[in-house]
Amino acid sequence: MQEAIQAKSALISVYNKEGLAPIIHKLNELGITLYSTGGTAAFIEEQDVPVKHVEDLTSYPSILGGRVKTLHPKVFGGILNRRANENDQKELDEFDIPHLDIVLVDLYPFEDTVRSGASESEIIEKIDIGGISLIRAAAKNYKDVLCVSSVSDYADFLALLHNKNGVSSLSDRKRFAANAFHISSHYDTQIFDFFNEESDALKISYQRGTSLRYGENPHQKGAFFGDFDAVFEKHHGKELSYNNLLDVDAAVQLMQEFQSEAPTFAILKHNNACGLATRTTLSQAYTDALAGDPVSAFGGVLIANTTIDSDTANKIHDLFCEVVIAPNFDLEALTVLKQKKNRILLQLKHYPQPETLVRSCLNGHLKQERDNITDTEEVLREVSKRSTTAHEKADLLFAAKVSKHTKSNTIVLAKNGQLMSSGTGQTSRVDALRQAIEKAKNFGFSLEGAVMASDAFFPFPDCVEIAHKAGIQAVIQPGGSIKDQLSIDYCNENNIAMVVTGVRHFKH
């Protein structure tokens, strides 16, 4: 093993040739012998730089439509030999195998091909075999070989050539090797995800994350791993924080429940809706959503299910809010909302949401399917003597959607397509209900004729009794308690309508 190695040869086999030309010329300037094959060799020749063809080294042509080009002992022996191992060097001499000091590879774009919607046969052909093998071999032998594994490394490699004239230190080679295994592991994870249909294995890989100012609190580091630009077009505002991103995610999940509804506006704070309303105009929906809790709305995240117009924007402008999200904005609305330099404006795109949810737990992770069930009229089962009216049914389904996206234990109170209040994240359902009732009264709402939604069943009739005394006339809940009948009996005795859905929506 040598601490510093002067490269004398390089094997180059890349898919992405953008930024490759200056590297080729610098290697040639340094007198480094180049080996290559196929399209990369042709590219090097176009640069008027001499190159030795791998086919000449191995005495084998590229075969099977290019599937086999570099998989040969004369290639891998040149990479994997240990320079300080006497037997390895004797075998290189015996079989006329040259040292390969640098391996520069860029893999077939498997991930991009999958994302493009290409056919299965096209995707399969983008599974790189030779390239990934070259990367693993060169990175394994980092003590003697420098491995450049991706187009994202081109600039770093070129800087190294300029600064050290083809010499690399052990720390240089180890750094490039670490990135090579990062590239190869990510690549294999994407292939596994494409093929996997039955395994419950958990493999998560992102090429890189975006550093955030801090995590949940200023003393915590934070980063976002994902493709934010695939989800939003950002029109304006400061960089999103860790907490912003959590609220934005909660807002998007909630508003998906109202995608096909009349104009709907929601205001969220700490991942829970503090205001939400569906109206004939978005402007009125915003006004009534804000009325639900104008105190909590301060510094909140706002989201609409339709284009934000100038009338709505002018109302929003009077409120201090962190983020405004919509599928579109009128030009005049953007002009108004951009007047606050830090206000974040996000245009939501259509994007495929992950079907699984993952979170850290103890010394591992929890994985579950996304809760894709939305309570609809078809699943409602009337369990009380008095049936719900059409108006009550609409309000119950409205409240149930909000309840599904509110921290458990939760109780949601609604009337006329408006969130009146909710009790969120309480340790008992009774506490959640009392919190919701008190909050509604504090903001001047009458609960006479309102409806109640619960994210889980009622083990005792206390909640329906408290709700009834506050004016609630209809209830929606999953059911499933062995004491369901106690709550049903109270409803029957007091002319309250109750429906059950059969589906619990806990959110922790």
Side-chain angles (χ1 to χ4, degrees), residues 274 292-293 296 421-422 434-443:
C274 58
D293 186 348
S296 296
S421 64
S422 61
R434 285 175 172 154
Q435 181 190 55
I437 291 171
E438 181 180 358
K439 192 172 183 180
K441 290 180 178 178
N442 285 344
F443 289 114

Side-chain angles (χ1 to χ4, degrees), residues 1-6 79-85 100-101 136-147 168-178 181:
M1 179 192 69
Q2 301 177 55
E3 169 61 30
I5 294 178
Q6 173 69 61
I79 298 169
L80 285 165
N81 75 89
R82 291 155 291 188
R83 300 334 190 233
N85 186 295
L100 295 173
D101 302 320
R136 291 180 65 84
K140 174 180 179 177
N141 203 26
Y142 73 91
K143 291 181 180 180
D144 295 308
V145 178
L146 178 67
C147 180
S168 63
S169 67
L170 181 61
S171 62
D172 291 330
R173 297 190 296 277
K174 192 169 185 178
R175 175 168 56 86
F176 275 90
F181 285 118

Side-chain angles (χ1 to χ4, degrees), residues 412-468:
V412 170
L413 306 180
K415 184 166 70 173
N416 299 327
Q418 180 184 20
L419 171 62
M420 312 199 80
S421 64
S422 61
T424 63
Q426 299 301 302
T427 52
S428 82
R429 204 154 300 284
V430 171
D431 286 346
L433 173 58
R434 285 175 172 154
Q435 181 190 55
I437 291 171
E438 181 180 358
K439 192 172 183 180
K441 290 180 178 178
N442 285 344
F443 289 114
F445 288 112
S446 168
L447 293 176
E448 290 298 327
V451 304
M452 174 174 72
S454 174
D455 60 340
F457 61 64
F458 299 115
F460 304 102
D462 45 6
C463 278
V464 290
E465 180 179 356
I466 295 169
H468 170 241

Side-chain angles (χ1 to χ4, degrees), residues 351-369:
Y351 72 102
Q353 293 203 12
E355 288 302 313
T356 55
L357 303 177
V358 179
R359 64 194 296 182
S360 60
C361 180
L362 299 175
N363 62 347
H365 294 81
L366 288 171
K367 171 185 172 183
Q368 69 169 345
E369 294 177 341

Side-chain angles (χ1 to χ4, degrees), residues 7-12 27-36 44 49-53 98-102:
K8 297 179 181 178
S9 60
L11 172 64
I12 305 175
L27 290 169
N28 183 54
E29 177 189 320
L30 294 171
I32 295 173
T33 301
L34 304 186
Y35 293 85
S36 192
I44 295 172
V49 172
V51 59
K52 292 188 176 184
H53 287 252
H99 287 114
L100 295 173
D101 302 320
I102 297 171

Side-chain angles (χ1 to χ4, degrees), residues 352-422:
Q353 293 203 12
E355 288 302 313
T356 55
L357 303 177
V358 179
R359 64 194 296 182
S360 60
C361 180
L362 299 175
N363 62 347
H365 294 81
L366 288 171
K367 171 185 172 183
Q368 69 169 345
E369 294 177 341
R370 179 179 296 280
D371 184 354
N372 287 322
I373 295 178
T374 297
D375 297 328
T376 62
E377 187 172 348
E378 290 72 26
V379 304
L380 300 183
R381 182 165 63 90
E382 305 269 2
V383 293
S384 57
K385 289 180 180 178
R386 182 174 81 77
S387 297
T388 53
T389 66
H391 186 78
E392 286 174 334
K393 197 169 292 182
D395 275 345
L396 288 168
L397 292 173
F398 173 93
K401 290 176 180 178
V402 180
S403 172
K404 174 184 170 182
H405 294 274
T406 304
K407 191 87 166 177
S408 299
N409 288 313
T410 185
I411 293 290
V412 170
L413 306 180
K415 184 166 70 173
N416 299 327
Q418 180 184 20
L419 171 62
M420 312 199 80
S421 64
S422 61

Side-chain angles (χ1 to χ4, degrees), residues 13-39:
S13 179
V14 302
Y15 180 86
N16 191 335
K17 299 169 183 65
E18 185 177 348
L20 183 62
I23 293 175
I24 298 299
H25 288 292
K26 187 61 181 178
L27 290 169
N28 183 54
E29 177 189 320
L30 294 171
I32 295 173
T33 301
L34 304 186
Y35 293 85
S36 192
T37 185

